[in-house]
Amino acid sequence: MALKLKDRHNVIISEDEAAELAEQGWSSADLHVHTLFSYDVLPAPSLHPEALYKKAKKIGMGFVTFTDHDSMRAHQVLGEMDGLVTGVEMRIKDMELVGHTVHVNVYDLNEEEFSELDAIRTDEGDLRAFVDYLRRKGLPFTYNHPFWFEPDERPNLRAIPEIVKLFPVVEYNMHRIERKNELAMVMAKRYDKGLVAVTDTHSGMIGKVYTLAKGDTFREYFRNIAEGRSRIVASDLTMQDLIDEVNAWIDLIFNLDVAKLDISNFSTGFSNLDRLVRTLASDRLRGCPRVYRRLERLTYRVSNSGIPASLYLRMENSIVPQIEDFMMARLL
């Protein structure tokens, strides 16, 4: 394959190298984290923003942000805390320029700015106007997982390089397979964009990957990332990662206190999976403890078999040849 990033290992560093940079005053952050205020996150106590904030600070994150889907509720709950930076993941579908939904993380914004951005994305559906607003306000923002697409949408690959040109920073996403992340890096290199490594966690794995840069303030930190003065501790989606993720979800589902928690608004975007989650968390099943625990063991067994993980990886890989063919024609 001709599309390679020659200096990949100058960007991606080890945990030991990251520790050395931290001793030299570099800050770290996982810039894509979901809390229970995202519609596709289970309302478990361990996924409350306060619990995730404490976890992030305990493992040494210099800055902490939460990027729930089209919501700043986590930051409304937390208020001001040491190293906490407001954030949100916003979805915008520009039918004229793009044709599929683009996910954008915006940081260090206030409620008024969020409301105005929300109006642009919902009323206008204009990505250029959205980005123009961000630039006028001087807000940090990133292009999330360029090669992940909504389940019911047909991607317009031709638009992706044009989108990258609009953004200062592109994501290296732990929940994407290695080849998709390599291609994201190729585009970041090609168009001189910054790169961040993020977990995009929906199950509390905050800080498993992260980005390092100098900066006493978040704006300084982000500016150094955008200008290429940063390093990432990164990993790609593997079979074991997926098994661990599914097992984490199983643990959350079977330990939900459904008497206190409402999952009626929970949605992964996959109707069959949503029905399964609601069935497993139902009072009716919980009323039969022996059956319930047997079902829990069976669910873990299916997960550990790797079957769900392999099916997901097959789906992730299915579009890669198409992406590679387009990228070679577009970028070479």
Side-chain angles (χ1 to χ4, degrees), residues 285-297:
L285 268 180
R286 289 170 187 260
C288 306
R290 290 180 62 186
V291 174
Y292 195 67
R293 289 307 158 194
R294 192 173 299 166
L295 181 60
E296 181 181 13
R297 290 193 296 272

Side-chain angles (χ1 to χ4, degrees), residues 148-208:
W148 182 89
F149 310 102
E150 299 283 349
D152 59 343
E153 291 184 353
R154 181 177 180 179
N156 176 15
L157 298 180
R158 293 178 180 276
I160 293 175
E162 300 308 313
I163 301 169
V164 171
K165 293 176 185 177
L166 297 174
F167 283 73
V169 173
V170 176
E171 267 193 356
Y172 189 111
N173 192 297
M174 190 185 79
H175 279 82
R176 306 279 73 80
I177 58 175
E178 182 178 14
R179 192 57 186 140
K180 287 187 176 181
N181 280 327
E182 284 182 342
L183 292 171
M185 291 181 76
V186 167
M187 288 202 303
K189 175 79 172 175
R190 171 68 175 79
Y191 296 111
D192 196 24
K193 304 297 180 179
L195 194 73
V196 289
V198 302
T199 59
D200 192 5
T201 181
H202 289 63
S203 60
M205 294 191 296
I206 188 170
K208 189 171 181 180

